[in-house]
Amino acid sequence: KAGVTQTPRYLIKTRGQQVTLSCSPISGHRSVSWYQQTPGQGLQFLFEYFSETQRNKGNFPGRFSGRQFSNSRSEMNVSTLELGDSALYLCASSLGQGFSVTQYFGPGTRLLVL
Amino acid sequence: KQEVTQIPAALSVPEGENLVLNCSFTDSAIYNLQWFRQDPGKGLTSLLLIQSSQREQTSGRLNASLDKSSGRSTLYIAASQPGDSATYLCAAPNSGGSNYKLTFGKGTLLTVNP
């Protein structure tokens, strides 16, 4: 079974631009979560989507948004980029219901904002 | 608000040693707790998930325990190997009950010396 894939793997943007990151979950998984990882703050939860609906949300500004498509693929968008948005963005997928809640992570997208 | 702390922040041991990594969490009303491993520049690999009804979970040389009453979990690694060198993260669901909104500790950076 293929794992979680994320594209692109690396991105360089400048302040004020916007960026879209993509995540394809493991086949059959309906939940996709996004996390931001920085050296200072560690891993922080952004949001979780299940069956095309945002089910959980973290404490990030509205510049961070996401969506999920009918095939469970998810995208995350960051508008008006700031230097502090430089981070490793990780997505994770899981079945999304029942007791099987293990989350499987992708390799991440490393975003550098200049 | 769930807070997760991991001690120690870094650990260096000789090959073959048994070791214990510690994780504490503030909100004990959790249904599960997960341990992950992260290699430099990579995503997270799920190691073990312990349900709240379990006290221990084992996978190969790894054994994780969970004590909800004291807000603690430990990851025991037997007969450590250089390939075990990585950052180990524990994650607990956020207060409010969602299993898909995880709070992570800052991790323990483990180095196993040949």
Side-chain angles (χ1 to χ4, degrees):
Chain A
K1 211 178 218 183
V4 178
T5 58
Q6 292 186 244
T7 57
R9 294 293 313 278
Y10 304 93
L11 264 178
I12 300 176
K13 293 284 187 179
T14 56
R15 279 181 298 175
Q17 288 187 309
Q18 74 166 18
V19 67
T20 299
L21 312 181
S22 179
C23 173
S24 292
I26 292 171
S27 177
H29 285 189
R30 294 165 64 189
S31 168
V32 174
S33 300
W34 289 90
Y35 292 83
Q36 180 195 66
Q37 186 176 32
T38 59
Q41 298 296 318
L43 271 155
Q44 294 184 285
F45 174 82
L46 281 155
F47 29 65
E48 183 235 354
Y49 286 86
F50 178 78
S51 292
E52 302 180 66
T53 300
Q54 187 180 86
R55 187 162 64 172
N56 290 287
K57 189 177 187 307
N59 297 320
F60 278 79
R63 300 185 298 107
F64 292 82
S65 63
R67 60 177 175 168
Q68 187 180 35
F69 302 96
S70 58
N71 62 358
S72 293
R73 189 178 70 85
S74 177
E75 287 183 348
M76 188 191 104
N77 184 274
V78 187
S79 62
T80 318
L81 285 165
E82 301 177 359
L83 295 179
D85 297 333
S86 294
L88 180 66
Y89 290 89
L90 294 162
C91 82
S93 78
S94 66
L95 287 171
Q97 55 189 359
F99 290 105
S100 183
V101 299
T102 299
Q103 296 197 27
Y104 298 88
F105 281 76
T109 293
R110 187 165 296 281
L111 172 64
L112 176 62
V113 182
L114 301 175
Chain B
K1 179 188 167 188
Q2 181 71 275
E3 293 180 8
V4 177
T5 304
Q6 291 187 246
I7 295 172
L11 181 63
S12 179
V13 300
E15 182 177 2
E17 194 161 294
N18 302 327
L19 56 103
V20 174
L21 307 181
N22 297 292
C23 172
S24 61
F25 47 93
T26 55
D27 184 353
S28 60
I30 58 173
Y31 293 109
N32 58 75
L33 183 138
Q34 296 183 60
W35 283 91
F36 295 89
R37 165 188 173 137
Q38 185 173 32
D39 293 284
K42 303 273 182 76
L44 278 63
T45 300
S46 176
L47 296 173
L48 289 164
L49 180 146
I50 315 174
Q51 301 284 5
S52 60
S53 57
Q54 302 172 308
R55 289 189 65 85
E56 287 189 3
Q57 187 71 266
T58 298
S59 175
R61 294 182 294 107
L62 306 179
N63 176 278
S65 68
L66 175 62
D67 183 345
K68 283 182 55 176
S69 61
S70 67
R72 294 176 189 271
S73 176
T74 61
L75 179 66
Y76 174 83
I77 302 177
S80 58
Q81 303 171 358
D84 295 331
S85 297
T87 297
Y88 290 80
L89 298 144
C90 72
N94 266 22
S95 306
S98 173
N99 288 311
Y100 304 98
K101 187 175 180 179
L102 298 179
T103 296
F104 281 82
K106 292 289 180 70
T108 294
L109 175 60
L110 173 65
T111 303
V112 181
N113 302 299

